[in-house]
Amino acid sequence: MTLALLLAALLAVTCVVVVALPFLREPEPESDHLDELDENERRRLELLEARDRALAALKELEFDHRTGTVSDEDYRALVGPLRRDAASALQALGDGGEAAQEATPKKGRPTRERTS
Amino acid sequence: MARKANPARLVIALIVAAVLAVFLLYTSIAGGGTPSIAPSELAGRSGDVQLAGLVVGPVRGDSHAGGLRFKLRDIGGETTTSVPVRYAGSVPDLFKVGRQIVVDGRLRNGIFVAEPGSMITKCPSKYVAKQSGDPY
Amino acid sequence: MAELGRAALVVSLGLSLYALVAGAAAAWLGRRRLAHSARNALVAAFFSTLVASGVLVSALLRNDFSFTYVARTTSEDLPTAYTISAFWGGQEGSLLLWLLVLTGFGSAAVLLNRRWARDLIVWVVPVFATVAVFFSFLVVAVASPFATQTSPVDGAGMTPSLQNPYMLAHPVFLYLGYVGLTVPFAFALGALLSGRTDERWLVATRRWTLVAWAALGIGQLLGAKWAYEEVGWGGYFAWDPVENAALMPWLVATAFLHSVMIQEKRGMLRVWNVLLVILAFSLSLFGTFLTRSGVVNSIHSFTQSSIGPWFLAFIGLVVTVSLAVVFRRLPQLRSPTKLESPISREAAFLYNNLLLLALSLAILWGVVYPMVSEALRGEAVVLGRSYYDFFLRIFGLPLLLLMGIGPLVAWRRASLKNLLTTFRWPTGVALATGAVLLLLGAGSSLPGLVAYTFAAFVLATIVLEFVRGTRARKALGASSWPGAFSSLIARNRRRYGGYVVHAAIVLLAVGIAGSSAFDSVAEAKLSRGESMQIGDYRLEYQALDERVASNATQIRATLAVTRGDRDLGTLEAGKNAYTIEQQVSNEVGIRSDMLTGEDLFVIAEQIDADGSVYFRVFVKPLVNLIWLAGLVFLLGSLIALWPNAREQRRLVQRTREVGVPATR
């Protein structure tokens, strides 16, 4: 009986420690702000997703054409709008993306990498 | 592009309408199911019902020759009235006096004549399926 | 030791509460350390639940009957494997298993995604915690597995029909499925709460959803096999409310898996997908409510405990809050992309969704109808098998056909001319198959014939896709045909894994059609030496034996089976009388023909004192295709699930471009 209670107490204490760990490790952090994406980064992510989506659609159309699912005629009709989508997505990233990067102030978060 | 969106939307709407129509048609033509009642509610009822009750002995007869005869009374509750049942067909293994069962059929001349093979026994605890219905 | 178990569960409840409150606060205020702490609490709740589970398992293995639960579900002579399975065999234990899987999945999902989707995870944690709080509360206050008593001499034992290998695995798979659906739900709701409109929640949960869906599917097949072999009434599925409880979320999850692809490729249907995942999760909760509360006349009812109202209240809460959040975010969810043509892959997926949803709702209606009619008319009216069969056919057969059409239609729009060319060959194959089958007598059941014809069509399209894909890869420069084939699948795992799964569903449909539309049954009372005929099988009742095993007396009737002049060996059917449990079980005899997939199914219904036996015999054509379908299903799911290195790299690249470190 006492063994059970001892183990239970041990468990409870361990869990409390685990929960308090982030506060114990950094009692005085320089920033407690949650690493979130700001407006520009969010926009950029959506643009990247749109770009990847457009490129993937093109690739899939090529594949479908090659396997014969899409006829030559249909391919010609479909590929144009897809190419335009991809181009506009890349363009939106190209200049819109750069503008976003310049506008973002360097917040000096040490955990982030920037590839530019 | 805006004009092109409309036929697709229309098609979807038509399909949804068709599905609903199928559903309504079925329920109106084929009608509802069988009412599930307790033995104490059986008196005076004609038509097919599903009787849910507790098996009361003595159990006599042979379900494969002439019919199994037993009585059913309400599950829980204070009524002691029981209904005589005659059952033919497959009898589930769990069937015995004191078990809860469900059986389809109709009242004929004071005896509940069951639909052959329609008996389902309820397991007393945990989860077990015990049934002999029509083959699937 | 029961105190340790109880304490561990209380700790788990406390941690889940903390994760909920702290997590919500951290998300709202944007506090990093608090978010981290809440996440740790969720992980700690898993470990605490694990400790509690360990206590229960050790009590089971030690046959510690001071635990009420152990005494109720096991006995001294129960084999070890089944003793362990008693963990999930009863109400309290199964709730504990649910909690264990929930906290386990939650911890894993959150930990795996904590770096690259930090702002999403911070909202996912409180959602997960809410569900964990509910189940922890149940096992702490309403249905505790750690109730104790004065130890009886022996336990009540496990119902004999549960002592079956399929019953070992069936609940586990189902729970992996049910609980697994919590992951996409939590991520979807988290994404909505965070106000994000990107697709990261979809990408993060794609594999989780697939795993949950596959587990749910396999769990149901295991249950069907168990019902077929162990319960032995001649069928494998009876539209029992509890069977429907697993089918409904599975159907909705199938719809979700498809419509999610539309969102991925075209950015459409965001609102629809979120609503679908909420529905799937709610149905999985509803399903378990049905199984436990005894609220519907089901042969599966657990002990009628007070657990029902709690579940109902929680489901109500989940649905109301989720819908409120969706409503709030509606303007942001609306996507600019529209459906371009009623003849496109998007449209095909949409039709698939509508049919699956219609079927699920028809089943749901059938399940709740007794409760509704009782509330409205004072009388519970039960809808029978014919209701479910009707809707299965009317929605299921078009779905079957659609499986063959969808993959061969282009995205955005396809011309009618293109379609006619593409489908020329599969249609020809289907019509030819239909004609041949008609000549062979399959016209006796129209739905069966239609199912076979559609199945042929779909199989033809799948073969076509594999052939054309391989040919295309060979043309691109693959070294050999096998090389082209394997690289085709390797580079398009989801697509071709999906095709394999479709093939499995086709097999399933054919197996179901064969064994239900074209089966036959015969009954006869035989004395020793007499024989009966069914189809071209002849069965001669030869002998009756009684054997005493460790826990039961086994009575077996031996039948000699011949077909024409070919001797097919002997078959045994009979009953087991279990001494401790005081129950009799049916032990059917099944002879499976490997070539035709047909089963000869013998039930010894009644054994009289004079040794004569009343036999009920079925011939079930193609029924073994159903079990084969399970294996193919597993294969297809594994192919689709397999990690794709290239896809992973692209994901990492994308998030790095945004500036978020993507070390997963």
Side-chain angles (χ1 to χ4, degrees), chain C residues 299-490:
Chain C
I299 53 189
H300 273 80
S301 312
F302 271 111
T303 49
Q304 320 223 158
S305 71
S306 50
I307 213 137
W310 289 108
F311 263 96
L312 220 49
F314 186 61
I315 294 171
L317 180 75
V318 163
V319 171
T320 334
V321 171
S322 313
L323 288 181
V325 174
V326 172
F327 193 70
R328 182 113 199 297
R329 298 290 188 205
L330 212 51
Q332 285 156 296
L333 282 174
R334 284 270 147 76
S335 69
T337 344
K338 294 260 179 269
L339 190 67
E340 282 181 40
S341 159
I343 307 176
S344 59
R345 202 171 296 173
E346 300 95 301
F349 279 27
L350 250 162
Y351 304 147
N352 147 300
N353 264 224
L354 289 171
L355 286 168
L356 282 167
L357 208 60
L359 184 56
S360 317
L361 292 176
I363 297 175
L364 183 63
W365 181 245
V367 169
V368 299
Y369 193 66
M371 294 179 253
V372 167
S373 67
E374 179 144 40
L376 290 179
R377 287 166 23 187
E379 189 171 74
V381 177
V382 174
L383 292 170
R385 189 174 285 144
S386 54
Y387 168 86
Y388 295 107
D389 279 348
F390 174 78
F391 285 106
L392 178 66
R393 285 182 195 144
I394 209 145
F395 295 141
L397 288 174
L399 263 173
L400 184 60
L401 187 64
L402 217 53
M403 264 201 320
I405 298 180
L408 289 178
V409 185
W411 289 102
R412 297 202 178 210
R413 68 182 176 284
S415 63
L416 223 49
K417 195 166 127 205
N418 191 11
L419 283 185
L420 288 172
T421 341
T422 317
F423 289 116
R424 207 184 309 144
W425 184 73
T427 316
V429 167
L431 289 175
T433 317
V436 167
L437 290 173
L438 199 57
L439 288 170
L440 290 175
S444 57
S445 162
L446 184 62
L449 180 64
V450 171
Y452 283 164
T453 317
F454 284 3
F457 176 78
V458 179
L459 275 177
T461 59
I462 295 176
V463 166
L464 194 64
E465 275 290 276
F466 272 102
V467 163
R468 297 207 296 208
T470 312
R471 206 185 290 158
R473 277 228 66 80
K474 186 81 174 35
L476 275 176
S479 47
S480 60
W481 288 105
F485 184 73
S486 56
S487 77
L488 175 73
I489 299 181

Side-chain angles (χ1 to χ4, degrees), chain C residues 163-374:
Chain C
Q163 296 176 36
N164 178 284
Y166 296 118
M167 256 309 150
L168 278 183
H170 159 73
V172 177
F173 274 94
L174 279 191
Y175 276 31
L176 288 177
Y178 282 142
V179 182
L181 288 177
T182 317
V183 176
F185 168 75
F187 274 74
L189 213 59
L192 284 177
L193 287 167
S194 72
R196 307 288 182 267
T197 46
D198 57 75
E199 319 272 282
R200 281 179 300 164
W201 76 270
L202 273 185
V203 178
T205 56
R206 191 190 302 153
R207 285 206 166 77
W208 287 98
T209 313
L210 199 49
V211 167
W213 175 80
L216 205 50
I218 292 177
Q220 287 178 87
L221 279 176
L222 288 171
K225 187 125 223 289
W226 172 80
Y228 186 65
E229 285 185 5
E230 187 57 45
V231 182
W233 82 86
Y236 39 79
F237 195 82
W239 299 106
D240 183 74
V242 146
E243 291 168 307
N244 293 335
L247 184 58
M248 289 185 288
W250 187 79
L251 289 173
V252 175
T254 312
F256 178 68
L257 277 178
H258 286 87
S259 63
V260 142
M261 276 187 251
I262 305 184
Q263 184 170 344
E264 245 180 85
K265 313 252 177 190
R266 304 271 283 121
M268 295 161 54
L269 296 184
R270 291 194 197 154
V271 180
W272 178 257
N273 281 328
V274 168
L275 290 174
L276 268 186
V277 79
I278 293 173
L279 182 64
F281 177 63
S282 309
L283 282 173
S284 83
L285 286 178
F286 185 68
T288 201
F289 157 72
L290 283 181
T291 324
R292 294 162 193 284
S293 65
V295 88
V296 172
N297 233 357
S298 161
I299 53 189
H300 273 80
S301 312
F302 271 111
T303 49
Q304 320 223 158
S305 71
S306 50
I307 213 137
W310 289 108
F311 263 96
L312 220 49
F314 186 61
I315 294 171
L317 180 75
V318 163
V319 171
T320 334
V321 171
S322 313
L323 288 181
V325 174
V326 172
F327 193 70
R328 182 113 199 297
R329 298 290 188 205
L330 212 51
Q332 285 156 296
L333 282 174
R334 284 270 147 76
S335 69
T337 344
K338 294 260 179 269
L339 190 67
E340 282 181 40
S341 159
I343 307 176
S344 59
R345 202 171 296 173
E346 300 95 301
F349 279 27
L350 250 162
Y351 304 147
N352 147 300
N353 264 224
L354 289 171
L355 286 168
L356 282 167
L357 208 60
L359 184 56
S360 317
L361 292 176
I363 297 175
L364 183 63
W365 181 245
V367 169
V368 299
Y369 193 66
M371 294 179 253
V372 167
S373 67
E374 179 144 40

Side-chain angles (χ1 to χ4, degrees), chain A residues 36-93:
Chain A
E36 286 182 336
L37 298 177
D38 63 19
E39 196 55 51
N40 286 320
E41 287 164 332
R42 222 181 286 176
R43 181 93 189 97
R44 190 174 166 75
L45 182 62
E46 282 169 29
L47 287 175
L48 281 168
E49 284 179 352
R51 175 201 69 183
D52 286 347
R53 202 179 301 139
L55 291 175
L58 261 175
K59 213 169 150 212
E60 187 155 4
L61 184 64
E62 298 282 336
F63 182 81
D64 280 344
H65 183 220
R66 213 172 293 129
T67 56
T69 308
V70 176
S71 66
D72 291 332
E73 211 176 295
D74 275 13
Y75 176 76
R76 274 192 293 271
L78 287 169
V79 78
L82 278 188
R83 284 210 184 116
R84 273 195 294 277
D85 279 350
S88 61
L90 284 167
Q91 196 180 47
L93 273 173

Side-chain angles (χ1 to χ4, degrees), chain B residues 20 23 28 53-54 86 89 93 111-112 124 131:
Chain B
L20 280 170
F23 188 81
S28 57
L54 210 67
R86 198 169 81 219
D93 305 321
I111 300 180
F112 187 79
Q131 163 180 316

Side-chain angles (χ1 to χ4, degrees), chain A residues 89-111:
Chain A
L90 284 167
Q91 196 180 47
L93 273 173
D95 34 57
E98 274 165 13
Q101 283 216 336
E102 281 163 10
T104 311
K106 299 283 185 264
K107 288 179 192 157
R109 275 163 282 189
T111 49

